[in-house]
Amino acid sequence: IMFHIKCRNNVYPKTDGKIIRFHVPDDKVSWNAQYPMYNPTLFTSTCVVGQPWADLNLSEFDSQPSWNTIDGYVNRISSTGIYKIKNGYPLNPCGRTGIIGRGILGRWGPNHAADPIVTRWKKSNNDYVFDKNSGKPVLQFVAIQREDSSEWALPGGMVDPGEVISTTLKREFMEEALDLLQKSEEDVIKIRKEIEKIFNEGIEVYRGYVDDPRNTDNAWMETIATLFHDEKGVNVGILKLQAGDDAIGVKWIDLDKNLKLYANHTSFLEEIATRLKCHW
Ligand code: RP5
Ligand code: MG
Ligand code: MG
């Protein structure tokens, strides 16, 4: 299981610097490590309480949510295995984060997302572009800039209750990278047609915990990252990218090991570089 970094020892996102995580040194991350001084900050944002897409506070549930199972339409299963419940609260499978409560996440326990990774070969006048140092062809992927942190990231999003992953992958890509929500009916039909071609054949490259800056001791992000490679660059490769919904930018980025992306998204791309034997 992953060693989380981006959800420790910093200010909690979207709180104007007001919510600060209790310090968790590397050797105190594990729940097995004794940390008697541990006094995590309690924080559940008012912007999640009472939202239709979010859980209730645990004291308000008539009966406790069914942990580690599909609970009605809500998937409370973690792909990391069975998580523990302590005093009624689910425990982050990667250990301490310095915050208890849900922060700005909607669900107690796992919050499931899906990340589409759309790739094409970098071309110059119809020729492949090779990296000078590695000698390997350069691959590009579609990245969006996140509004919350300004960081570049995969155009992923939350799986709606009862939604199948393949739908989430397409929906989030179309919303964030193609601005579908603002398109005319005519354009929507065109875009959907192109998307179907490329999204019908995906390869799962990652399933598990995300080292997301929003994670807390009781709520965390998990994702399924799926590769959609446009080998000839004639499908998504020709669609005009346009940032939409909560994305403030969108572009094709060259794969390279020095990329700095949101959460642990760079590690998903490393897996793809190995598979497609491209520059890394
Ligand atoms: C990350 O947050 C996931 O990998 C996914 O990219 C994203 C989903 O959250 P939102 O984009 O909906 O905020 O943990
Ligand atoms: Mg979204
Ligand atoms: Mg998103």
Side-chain angles (χ1 to χ4, degrees):
I1 194 148
M2 172 182 305
F3 187 66
H4 60 199
I5 295 169
K6 297 204 174 175
C7 56
R8 281 195 288 136
N9 304 338
N10 50 23
V11 157
Y12 195 84
K14 286 186 132 173
T15 60
D16 290 327
K18 289 196 186 86
I19 303 292
I20 297 163
R21 292 176 184 275
F22 191 85
H23 182 64
V24 181
D26 286 0
D27 63 341
K28 297 286 188 274
V29 173
S30 167
W31 294 111
N32 297 326
Q34 295 293 318
Y35 194 7
M37 303 273 283
Y38 187 52
N39 184 19
T41 311
L42 169 65
F43 178 58
T44 295
S45 171
T46 49
C47 70
V48 302
V49 178
Q51 293 298 324
W53 45 265
D55 284 339
L56 297 169
N57 280 332
L58 284 183
S59 54
E60 288 155 358
F61 273 90
D62 290 340
S63 57
Q64 289 303 290
S66 301
W67 307 118
N68 290 297
T69 62
I70 307 276
D71 182 12
Y73 283 108
V74 183
N75 179 5
R76 300 194 194 277
I77 299 174
S78 170
S79 49
T80 67
I82 303 286
Y83 49 88
K84 294 201 176 96
I85 309 299
K86 196 181 164 194
N87 304 327
Y89 290 87
L91 274 192
N92 187 315
C94 289
R96 297 182 175 97
T97 68
I99 298 262
I100 52 171
R102 268 179 294 169
I104 54 175
L105 293 177
R107 304 282 173 204
W108 297 101
N111 287 252
H112 293 284
D115 283 295
I117 309 179
V118 174
T119 61
R120 69 174 184 193
W121 294 108
K122 185 175 190 172
K123 297 262 177 83
S124 163
N125 306 322
N126 278 325
D127 289 330
Y128 294 100
V129 174
F130 295 86
D131 182 81
K132 284 190 199 71
N133 296 315
S134 68
K136 291 182 177 164
V138 178
L139 194 75
Q140 301 185 307
F141 75 103
V142 175
I144 55 100
Q145 191 175 21
R146 294 182 61 91
E147 174 235 69
D148 54 3
S149 67
S150 310
E151 286 173 286
W152 288 87
L154 294 169
M158 303 292 185
V159 182
D160 290 337
E163 189 177 45
V164 292
I165 302 295
S166 58
T167 304
T168 315
L169 289 162
K170 284 184 242 181
R171 183 177 53 71
E172 291 291 339
F173 186 82
M174 292 189 289
E175 288 176 7
E176 298 188 5
L178 300 170
D179 198 18
L180 194 82
L181 300 175
Q182 301 301 322
K183 296 283 188 216
S184 68
E185 226 173 287
E186 205 182 323
D187 285 348
V188 168
I189 293 170
K190 255 193 253 164
I191 291 173
R192 282 191 187 280
K193 219 173 120 196
E194 231 30 72
I195 287 294
E196 287 304 329
K197 287 186 205 157
I198 194 83
F199 276 68
N200 74 27
E201 232 181 296
I203 299 171
E204 186 178 310
V205 293
Y206 182 81
R207 181 187 287 251
Y209 185 87
V210 183
D211 186 9
D212 191 290
R214 294 170 290 190
N215 293 349
T216 73
D217 286 5
N218 311 122
W220 60 91
M221 293 295 306
E222 297 194 8
T223 197
I224 296 178
T226 306
L227 166 65
F228 301 100
H229 176 57
D230 184 1
E231 174 64 23
K232 298 203 170 105
V234 292
N235 301 123
V236 177
I238 58 165
L239 286 176
K240 195 171 163 287
L241 301 179
Q242 192 174 333
D245 198 31
D246 53 3
I248 54 170
V250 63
K251 64 180 176 187
W252 290 94
I253 293 186
D254 298 352
L255 261 71
D256 186 278
K257 63 170 167 301
N258 296 315
L259 276 176
K260 298 271 177 288
L261 298 175
Y262 184 73
N264 57 321
H265 287 179
T266 308
S267 66
F268 310 163
L269 296 170
E270 183 170 11
E271 168 65 26
I272 290 172
T274 314
R275 276 175 187 266
L276 297 186
K277 301 183 173 60
C278 63
H279 168 68
W280 180 245

